[in-house]
Amino acid sequence: MRISAWRYLCMLLIAATAIASTATTTYGQAKKPNILFIVSDDTGYGDLGPYGGGVGRGMPTPNIDRMAAEGMTFFSFYAQPSCTPGRAAMQTGRIPNRSGMTTVAFQGQGGGLPAAEWTLASVLKQAGYKTYFTGKWHLGEADYALPNAQGYDVMEHCFLYHCNAYTYGDPTWFPDMDPKLREMFDKVTKGSLSGKAGEPAKQDWKVNGQYVDTPEKGVVGIPFMDKYVEKSGIEFLEDAAKTPNQPFFININFMKVHQPNLPAPEYEHKSLSKSKYADSVFELDSRIGNIMNKLRELKLDQNTLVFYTTDNGAWQDVYPDAGYTPFRGTKGTVREGGNRVPAIAIWPGKIKEGVKNHDIVGGLDLMATFAAAAGLKLPEKDREGEPIVFDSYDMTPVLTGEGKSERTSWFYFTENELTPGAARVGNYKAVFNLRGDDGAPTGGLAVDTNLGWKGADKYVATVPQVFDLWADPQERYDIFMNNFTERTWTMVTINESIQKLMKTYVKYPPRKLQSETYTGPITLSDYQRFKYVREALEKNGVTIPLPTGN
């Protein structure tokens, strides 16, 4: 009897230990939230309901409105000024000139995100996350640059270019194109790509600019691309729900609303405005809503951090088939209109409902934020063992309302800039690069559309423009020196911030640019300098002149 009692006691102790162990495991997993990261393309700051758009602009966004009501809406959230750098910055947590991803090579030229870079997925893999990618990538064509080589367990319906690129090989779009050139574009332009990590990517079907949805025949048109992105996202969530103890990270990238906007047939004339762009915004909102509804239906929402944003500011040069921003400038410039973008975060139990935030944060900060949520420290070396620096700040205190982000500044870059073309510290912004003809009206309102993104770099001489973004978010009134006072003192803190940034380039040199762009003629005198510069670097090392602002 005593032996039986002793055995019974031992069994109770073993059972209790097992239960405690299970509880610890379950609790430990619960501390790692799932992460759903949704990105749209070229969506204007003023397009969406939470930012004064929506119904007021003829394009209702009820699903995004609901997201704002359930979480935090950011009003000083920054991206980069165009697609590739914007997406590279979010994926890597580094300003694009560090990774060489300031622009992307033309289709057929290969290259892309260097293998040594960490991405959101490859970092979260360190914490046991299941990772998945679908939609627009736009970070290169090379095998090493694809999502399934950059930390994503699976990529499905991955698209390597912006929407326009899929029209180049379509004879109905450009009948005047040389047939040989069209044949080349048709040959090198990759369509929908899918594949698992460690395996070669396979093409599901090609993409053209028509209203065709025939994957069985090997071709799908631009209007239907987001249908497959949404489908992939929903199927992943359904699969993830089967293993609730494994955290997941899914990155859904919708192709809309990048020009040319061709809404899916079921969304044509469904917006109040009934324009192509408004219909496409309505489609985008509906598809985001379908993803969110599936998350709720599967009861995954309570332990999921949802983050929505876009890759860059509105492309006003293609007005009216483009987004709206109340700010000065357009995509491709260092003005607010090219860089300040919508962003919304939802995290039940962590983020209070209906919060409006005005802290300086941005896409760069997603790396540190997602890592912190997963209980990770950012790597000190890149994936090839070399020292690496991140430009990412943890937004968790901002999200939870427990404090402020450590970020106090933002740097604005165009494609070829090492020093920033503009810098914001606190509420003051200094503008050095007047690209876009000093921010003149663009698109259909401009005498010459070359006044926008296509405009030349035009740097200030010694004295920058300075704007108070609290009093003047549209950058209309330069207050460096004016008729009632002067703000030259603002350059003390702005120059200090730029100086700290520039010093990091010495310790952490930027990688080679992944795409060559024309930045002006190479003169004979430039050619003579190349040899001198090379010899000087070898002999004396690197010295970088800093802007003084006076």
Side-chain angles (χ1 to χ4, degrees), residues 301-322:
D301 57 315
Q302 292 304 304
N303 190 37
T304 299
L305 166 58
V306 179
F307 208 99
Y308 162 72
T309 189
T310 189
D311 55 355
N312 50 253
W315 191 4
Q316 296 184 92
D317 282 339
V318 294
Y319 175 87
D321 194 15

Side-chain angles (χ1 to χ4, degrees), residues 27-34 126-129 246-248 303 373-375:
Y27 177 70
Q29 292 289 355
K31 290 181 68 176
K32 293 180 182 178
N34 305 314
Q126 310 304 303
Y129 274 69
Q246 181 177 18
F248 65 77
N303 190 37

Side-chain angles (χ1 to χ4, degrees), residues 72-94:
M72 178 177 289
T73 304
F74 295 90
F75 289 87
S76 289
F77 191 92
Y78 287 93
Q80 305 299 314
S82 62
C83 300
T84 292
R87 291 167 189 276
M90 290 189 284
Q91 287 290 338
T92 66
R94 285 155 48 84

Side-chain angles (χ1 to χ4, degrees), residues 305-534:
L305 166 58
V306 179
F307 208 99
Y308 162 72
T309 189
T310 189
D311 55 355
N312 50 253
W315 191 4
Q316 296 184 92
D317 282 339
V318 294
Y319 175 87
D321 194 15
Y324 165 76
T325 174
F327 303 115
R328 184 175 183 174
T330 181
K331 172 181 176 178
T333 71
V334 297
R335 297 294 185 181
E336 293 296 285
N339 295 268
R340 206 188 292 201
V341 297
I344 299 170
I346 304 173
W347 195 359
K350 297 285 187 179
I351 298 176
K352 294 181 179 178
E353 294 185 351
V355 180
K356 297 180 179 180
N357 181 274
H358 294 271
D359 293 350
I360 301 173
V361 289
L364 285 168
D365 300 325
L366 296 172
M367 173 65 85
T369 304
F370 291 173
L376 292 170
K377 290 185 177 180
L378 291 180
E380 296 180 358
K381 294 185 177 181
D382 67 18
R383 295 171 74 191
E384 295 180 350
E386 296 298 321
I388 191 171
V389 62
F390 291 92
D391 303 287
S392 189
Y393 289 86
D394 180 14
M395 293 188 290
T396 303
V398 176
L399 298 177
T400 60
E402 296 174 353
K404 292 280 188 178
S405 166
E406 294 182 10
R407 177 180 294 285
T408 58
S409 62
W410 190 264
F411 301 113
Y412 309 69
F413 298 90
T414 54
E415 292 89 344
N416 201 39
E417 291 178 319
L418 191 62
T419 54
R424 174 180 179 177
V425 178
N427 55 303
Y428 288 104
K429 177 180 179 181
V431 179
F432 305 98
N433 181 357
L434 308 184
R435 182 179 186 171
D437 200 28
D438 203 13
T442 60
L445 302 179
V447 174
D448 179 0
T449 56
N450 287 316
L451 299 181
W453 190 8
K454 294 177 284 186
D457 292 333
K458 297 168 62 176
Y459 290 90
V460 296
T462 307
V463 178
Q465 294 181 343
V466 172
F467 302 94
D468 180 349
L469 293 180
W470 285 350
D472 178 25
Q474 293 181 321
E475 300 171 82
R476 291 181 177 181
Y477 306 102
D478 177 8
I479 57 173
F480 191 92
M481 288 184 178
N482 60 27
N483 63 352
F484 74 94
T485 186
E486 50 87 17
R487 297 287 201 289
T488 55
W489 55 266
T490 59
M491 292 308 299
V492 174
T493 53
I494 291 174
N495 277 350
E496 182 182 9
S497 293
I498 294 174
Q499 202 166 40
K500 288 179 180 178
L501 168 70
M502 297 303 293
K503 287 179 179 178
T504 67
Y505 294 138
V506 179
K507 186 176 180 180
Y508 306 100
R511 303 191 196 279
K512 180 182 180 298
L513 289 179
Q514 295 302 299
S515 177
E516 298 295 332
T517 57
Y518 183 73
T519 56
I522 298 176
T523 63
L524 289 172
S525 57
D526 288 334
Y527 177 77
Q528 295 294 328
R529 290 192 196 104
F530 287 158
K531 183 178 180 182
Y532 167 78
V533 171
R534 188 185 306 113

Side-chain angles (χ1 to χ4, degrees), residues 136-417:
K136 183 177 180 179
W137 180 241
H138 212 185
L139 296 178
E141 292 180 315
D143 291 342
Y144 63 78
L146 300 181
N148 65 334
Q150 291 283 352
Y152 290 93
D153 296 325
V154 177
M155 67 175 187
E156 188 170 8
H157 299 310
C158 171
F159 302 103
L160 304 186
Y161 324 105
H162 52 74
C163 283
N164 301 80
Y166 299 100
T167 67
Y168 300 157
D170 190 328
T172 63
W173 278 79
F174 305 104
D176 60 329
M177 183 185 292
D178 186 314
K180 291 182 180 179
L181 181 59
R182 183 184 303 117
E183 182 181 356
M184 184 277 292
F185 277 127
D186 186 58
K187 181 179 179 180
V188 303
T189 303
K190 299 177 181 179
S192 169
L193 295 181
S194 297
K196 296 180 180 179
E199 297 180 1
K202 70 176 193 307
Q203 181 170 271
D204 307 305
W205 27 260
K206 296 183 76 67
V207 179
N208 67 13
Q210 305 301 312
Y211 272 83
V212 293
D213 186 15
T214 54
E216 71 283 357
K217 295 181 180 179
V219 62
V220 170
I222 290 173
F224 301 93
M225 297 171 84
D226 280 346
K227 162 188 167 181
Y228 291 94
V229 175
E230 177 193 318
K231 180 174 179 287
S232 296
I234 286 176
E235 288 177 351
F236 172 84
L237 293 177
E238 290 173 339
D239 182 65
K242 298 173 184 176
T243 55
N245 288 331
Q246 181 177 18
F248 65 77
F249 167 59
I250 175 172
N251 186 191
I252 300 175
N253 297 260
F254 289 108
M255 299 296 293
K256 291 182 173 68
V257 283
H258 192 291
Q259 188 255 1
N261 280 291
L262 301 174
E266 64 268 33
Y267 293 100
E268 286 188 281
H269 298 166
K270 288 298 189 292
S271 69
L272 299 174
S273 182
K274 304 191 187 321
S275 68
K276 289 196 304 179
Y277 185 81
D279 289 345
S280 295
V281 169
F282 185 73
E283 177 183 350
L284 171 68
D285 178 80
S286 299
R287 297 198 185 281
I288 290 176
N290 292 339
I291 296 291
M292 292 299 297
N293 288 336
K294 178 58 67 172
L295 190 75
R296 299 179 187 109
E297 174 193 319
L298 296 170
K299 303 190 185 308
L300 294 171
D301 57 315
Q302 292 304 304
N303 190 37
T304 299
L305 166 58
V306 179
F307 208 99
Y308 162 72
T309 189
T310 189
D311 55 355
N312 50 253
W315 191 4
Q316 296 184 92
D317 282 339
V318 294
Y319 175 87
D321 194 15
Y324 165 76
T325 174
F327 303 115
R328 184 175 183 174
T330 181
K331 172 181 176 178
T333 71
V334 297
R335 297 294 185 181
E336 293 296 285
N339 295 268
R340 206 188 292 201
V341 297
I344 299 170
I346 304 173
W347 195 359
K350 297 285 187 179
I351 298 176
K352 294 181 179 178
E353 294 185 351
V355 180
K356 297 180 179 180
N357 181 274
H358 294 271
D359 293 350
I360 301 173
V361 289
L364 285 168
D365 300 325
L366 296 172
M367 173 65 85
T369 304
F370 291 173
L376 292 170
K377 290 185 177 180
L378 291 180
E380 296 180 358
K381 294 185 177 181
D382 67 18
R383 295 171 74 191
E384 295 180 350
E386 296 298 321
I388 191 171
V389 62
F390 291 92
D391 303 287
S392 189
Y393 289 86
D394 180 14
M395 293 188 290
T396 303
V398 176
L399 298 177
T400 60
E402 296 174 353
K404 292 280 188 178
S405 166
E406 294 182 10
R407 177 180 294 285
T408 58
S409 62
W410 190 264
F411 301 113
Y412 309 69
F413 298 90
T414 54
E415 292 89 344
N416 201 39
E417 291 178 319

